[in-house]
Amino acid sequence: MVDQNTFMETIKAVAEIIRTSATPLSEKEILGYFEDMELDDNQKKIVMEYLSNPENIQNEQEEANEDSKDESKDESVEEGKSAVFQMYLEELSYLPKYSKEEKEQLYKQLLQGDESVIRKISDAWLKKVLATAEKYIEPKLLIEDLIQEGNMALFLKLQELCKTRENVDVEKELAQAIEEGIVDYASEMSGERELENSVLGKVNLVHEANKLLAEENGRDPSIEELSEYTKMPVEELQDIMDMIKSTDEK
């Protein structure tokens, strides 16, 4: 089974190589980047059809450019799904389905230390990871990133459970690990955005205070005068003033 995260990253990388290459890549050269994945004929066909379309190559570049911009966009879940993500969804449809009894046997083998079942169980849970990730999608959070965090949490929990030889509820443990992994990532990203917004707000406050005091007094205010006006510590004000100065010099 193809590792979905590796597959998606390779698609993006090869698309960039094709876009910037001075000469067209042959089918053999393109598929060479995927040789470690042991794609079947149908998967190879999908890859070639996708990467042979100039519009897809351009779309991948545009999406990469958008990811590098710090813009706040109110996008729906569907709008946030890239062409590569659509291929990921198609890959999920090829996953084998296991009965309840088959899953219980896989879990039993896992707890007994059979590492060979980790991939099978992981594949069986990828759709659960997707469903969990979609619950937490919001502006500026890419579904692909949430899935990657969920998949990583799933893999780490499977590694942890392997060889435990304990009577544990494997499904409960996996579901909880996936949820916690995705929630932790979403919370971390949200916290970073709040910090950025807080810093930006303080920068604007200091900038406006400096401008107002300069107009009133006919000179640039001292750091102490700014501190008294904004009710901010001198040390924090100095850091912000340095930040403003650095930005103005660029």
Side-chain angles (χ1 to χ4, degrees):
M1 181 65 192
V2 177
D3 180 85
Q4 305 302 327
N5 291 328
T6 302
F7 178 75
M8 293 166 70
E9 290 302 318
T10 304
I11 282 284
K12 292 180 179 180
V14 176
E16 177 62 12
I17 291 172
I18 293 174
R19 189 185 71 83
T20 58
S21 177
T23 59
L25 271 65
S26 67
E27 179 175 340
K28 182 178 180 180
E29 289 174 321
I30 292 174
L31 294 178
Y33 291 101
F34 300 86
E35 60 182 359
D36 292 339
M37 301 182 193
E38 299 181 353
L39 303 181
D40 59 32
D41 290 341
N42 185 57
Q43 291 168 331
K44 290 179 181 178
K45 181 180 179 182
I46 292 174
V47 168
M48 289 307 302
E49 287 180 349
Y50 181 79
L51 293 176
S52 296
N53 188 334
E55 291 185 2
N56 291 333
I57 302 299
Q58 181 62 28
N59 288 339
E60 289 297 336
Q61 177 60 22
E62 290 174 355
E63 287 170 9
N65 290 339
E66 288 299 314
D67 290 345
S68 66
K69 296 178 181 178
D70 186 17
E71 298 176 343
S72 176
K73 297 181 179 180
D74 186 12
E75 298 177 331
S76 67
V77 173
E78 289 301 320
E79 289 172 334
K81 293 179 179 177
S82 66
V84 172
F85 181 69
Q86 298 300 332
M87 293 183 67
Y88 174 76
L89 294 181
E90 185 171 349
E91 279 290 308
L92 291 186
S93 67
Y94 297 133
L95 292 173
K97 296 181 179 180
Y98 298 101
S99 65
K100 182 178 179 180
E101 292 74 19
E102 288 173 326
K103 288 181 180 178
E104 289 298 329
Q105 180 58 37
L106 290 174
Y107 298 153
K108 182 178 180 180
Q109 291 177 245
L110 175 74
L111 297 177
Q112 291 176 346
D114 186 354
E115 295 184 357
S116 68
V117 302
I118 290 180
R119 174 54 66 87
K120 292 181 180 179
I121 298 175
S122 178
D123 290 346
W125 275 76
L126 290 181
K127 290 183 179 179
K128 173 65 175 178
V129 173
L130 171 61
T132 305
E134 288 185 324
K135 293 194 304 181
Y136 295 97
I137 189 66
E138 61 177 74
K140 294 190 72 176
L141 276 183
L142 295 177
I143 184 70
E144 292 94 332
D145 291 339
L146 293 175
I147 289 173
Q148 184 172 351
E149 293 298 321
N151 286 344
M152 180 60 69
L154 169 64
F155 178 75
L156 292 176
K157 177 56 69 171
L158 286 171
Q159 291 280 4
E160 179 185 323
L161 292 175
C162 191
K163 299 181 182 181
T164 59
R165 301 183 184 279
E166 297 179 2
N167 184 21
V168 299
D169 187 336
V170 175
E171 293 202 338
K172 180 179 179 180
E173 292 284 331
L174 296 182
Q176 182 176 339
I178 293 169
E179 188 102 20
E180 289 179 352
I182 292 175
V183 168
D184 287 349
Y185 173 77
S187 297
E188 179 182 351
M189 296 304 293
S190 177
E192 289 180 2
R193 291 199 301 274
E194 290 177 1
L195 178 60
E196 290 173 359
N197 292 336
S198 175
V199 172
L200 181 59
K202 290 181 179 180
V203 168
N204 289 335
L205 171 62
V206 172
H207 180 76
E208 291 300 320
N210 187 75
K211 180 180 179 181
L212 178 63
L213 291 175
E215 290 176 351
E216 289 182 351
N217 302 327
R219 59 175 174 80
D220 289 337
S222 67
I223 194 74
E224 289 77 17
E225 289 173 328
L226 277 173
S227 176
E228 182 179 355
Y229 185 85
T230 62
K231 308 303 180 185
M232 293 171 62
V234 171
E235 294 79 5
E236 184 178 8
L237 264 172
Q238 188 61 61
D239 290 339
I240 293 176
M241 293 296 291
D242 290 342
M243 187 185 306
I244 294 174
K245 181 179 180 181
S246 176
T247 301
D248 291 340
E249 289 175 350
K250 292 182 178 179

